[in-house]
Amino acid sequence: MVDDNLLNEDQAVAEINELRRQINHHNSLYHQFDSPEIPDADYDRLFDRLLALEKEFPELVTPDSPSQRVGDAPLSSFEQVTHDTPMMSLAKVFDDQDLADFEARILKRLDDDEPPTYNCEPKIDGVAVSLLYVDGLLVRAATRGDGVTGEDITHNVKTIKNIPLRLQASDGERIPARLEVRGEIYMSRSGFAAMNDEASRSEDGRVFVNPRNAAAGTLRQLDPRIAAKRPLSFFAYSAHFSDFRGPEYHSETLALLGQWGLPLNPERAVVTGYEACLAYARNLLLKRPNLDYEIDGAVIKVDNIRLQLELGSNARTPRWAMAYKFPAEEASTVVRDVEFQVGRTGTITPVARLEPVFVGGVTVSNATLHNMDEIERLGLHIGDRVIIRRAGDVIPKIVSVIKGTAIKGTEDISSGRITMPDHCPACQSPVEKDGEVLYRCTGGLICPAQRKESLRHFCSRAALDIEGLGEKLVEQLVDADLVHTVADVFILTREQLISLERMGEKSADNLINAIEKSKATTLPRLLFGLGIREVGEATALALASHFGSLDKLMEADEDALVKVADVGPIMAAHIAHFFGNQENDKVIADLRSRGVTWPEHSAQTVSDKLSGQTWVITGTLESMTRDEARSRLQALGAKVAGSVSKKTTAVVAGPGAGSKLDKAVELGVAVIDEQGLIDLLNGDQ
Ligand code: IVH
């Protein structure tokens, strides 16, 4: 409440002005610089006080007061707005050659052979808008519409906290009398997730499919109080002046908008020549999974505005700009079936079999459903149309079910209900619940699915590394009952192999040689290959370094095991349980008697292939964890550092790599991707 008896209008003006100044200051710290100075509650107090004063003195309300962001009364319809100059769209390219052609066309038209300088920006996946500032004041915001006419959405746009209601000019600086700023309104991924989380718990449980739909849906509301509650933001990407001589370069125009308080995307960069644009786009694609907003490509714009004018436009698209599109991360498809997969340790995971769909750059026909809780959460039935998401290199997942689209009537699809089987689909042993959400097959080694998974793991690159013994062959060997435990690999004969379908004499010989070669292994590889629950590559190496020999490890009890770095009580219990099991002891004895050897391991017995080198790992890796990559590099003698400097030998960058990758590119440090690392670890380089 305002103690208004004590306040005359002059005092109210003074206090309101001060409150607005403070609120604008904190708004900009919070939304532009991500560094608030005061807690939210203090901010709310300032805001409430301003609202109360403005209610008391309505004649003092101004259009740029921060109070105008909370949302006026609903409109009854949208006004049409004709844009001063049409809002064009961008021509799209999908591959490197298209971008080379784009530059070739530019050079031809300009009759030049020096590649131009470009401003590269992320292509934000949101909603295009035009903001009109008259004498520095935001007077109108409109959607792109058909490019010529859009809809007036000022009421909603005013609620977006990082859009200035008034431009900030420094002392003596002239701001154009009429300025049109264009850009993209988007919803952050984190804001979207939080909003949907809340929505899923509401009565109707309706959620938005993706951040762009959520942003578009919000801007289409007549009631601005809805927009005021939603986490929308804005990035400016162009300016149109009418009575103002703008800068000579697009990048400078953006910088000017930034000075006036408009939010700019931090990933923009000025580069020369299309090859540098490609490098920018590749780098941006790696960063994509880590950005808190969705992007669907890179926008490449000739930076020099004189050249832009010279190049001109086609009917709908400028000749000086191009969108380099990234593969879409989402697509819709139909769930044909749900099958239950048995893992190496017996865990049963539901997997959706999908109508194949192209998404995230590959054709996807399966998606993991993790567990039964996930199916419940999604409300998924067989036959449903779903949205699939594949971001970066991540395994595809089902994001949501499109309600009311189930295809009914085929075979068992009539009910579509998905239930966990009572018996293992591979060996018919009973399935039991393990903890809150997991189910497990109780079959152990009698379960062919578990045997296949164990064998595949044992032969994999990071374990015994048996070349040629891949997934298909593992299937065949287990199905033909030639391999029961992993130790049986070493008693396979040439004749047995030749008897398998599609196995020629030459392949059989190669395989026998590869198996022979793999017999001389190392303790860490063996330990990892045995597939002890929770024991990844890094733990296997830690165990080997700590105990030195398998016999010592097998004698260790849980107390001794937890002394190993990174081994906790749960993992210790799994390890002790593994070696306490007679069947496992028999496998180890068989491995020994069949000629598999692993020398004693000491932490010092590393190779010196990379000694004296310093490596940095950034982003996510698919086939191993970053910890594993680190220990494997260390085992080759490299130092693995946390930050990039001139001294860094090389950087391993996976999807989601950020500033470390930028730094490496800036310093000219070698960058390799995950495949490059794998090749190096396997000695192919
Ligand atoms: S420039 C004439 N820059 O992409 C050039 N557009 O078809 C006009 N978009 O819906 C656009 N990020 O809203 C430009 N950094 C960016 C952009 C961007 C997203 C959208 C734009 C339009 C579409 C272009």
Side-chain angles (χ1 to χ4, degrees), residues 4 88 104 112 119 128 139 188 206-207 209-210 229 234 238 244 269 286 338 359-360 436 476 518 538 579 600 660:
D4 44 58
M88 295 216 172
D112 202 343
N119 193 73
V139 295
S188 68
R206 280 173 67 103
V207 293
V209 168
N210 58 37
K229 287 196 218 118
F234 176 72
S238 73
F244 185 87
L286 283 174
V338 170
V359 60
E436 287 282 298
Q476 287 179 290
S518 75
F579 290 117
E600 294 218 344
K660 290 180 194 171

Side-chain angles (χ1 to χ4, degrees), residues 87-92 121-129 144 183-184 237-238 296 299 301 318 320-321 323:
M87 286 180 80
M88 295 216 172
S89 52
L90 293 167
K92 302 181 186 89
E121 304 162 21
K123 186 167 186 301
I124 312 295
D125 199 6
V127 179
V129 288
R144 176 173 179 275
E184 202 83 356
Y237 59 61
S238 73
D296 56 354
V299 182
K301 301 174 182 169
W320 45 266

Side-chain angles (χ1 to χ4, degrees), residues 81-88 128-145 147-151 167 175-183 234 236-244 250 253-254 257 260 262:
V81 170
T82 305
H83 299 296
D84 285 1
T85 45
M87 286 180 80
M88 295 216 172
V129 288
S130 142
L131 309 178
L132 182 63
Y133 285 90
V134 173
D135 294 326
L137 199 66
L138 175 66
V139 295
R140 192 190 71 194
T143 59
R144 176 173 179 275
V148 176
T149 323
E151 278 176 337
L167 300 179
I175 279 197
R178 193 179 171 87
L179 166 69
E180 192 195 341
V181 177
R182 291 177 181 175
F234 176 72
Y237 59 61
S238 73
H240 301 259
F241 311 100
S242 35
D243 59 342
F244 185 87
H250 172 66
T253 307
L254 291 183
L257 295 183
W260 292 337
L262 284 151

Side-chain angles (χ1 to χ4, degrees), residues 529-550:
L530 288 174
I532 307 166
R533 262 171 85 179
E534 310 264 341
V535 176
E537 266 186 275
T539 313
L541 184 62
L543 289 169
S545 306
H546 186 93
F547 292 102
S549 75
L550 185 61

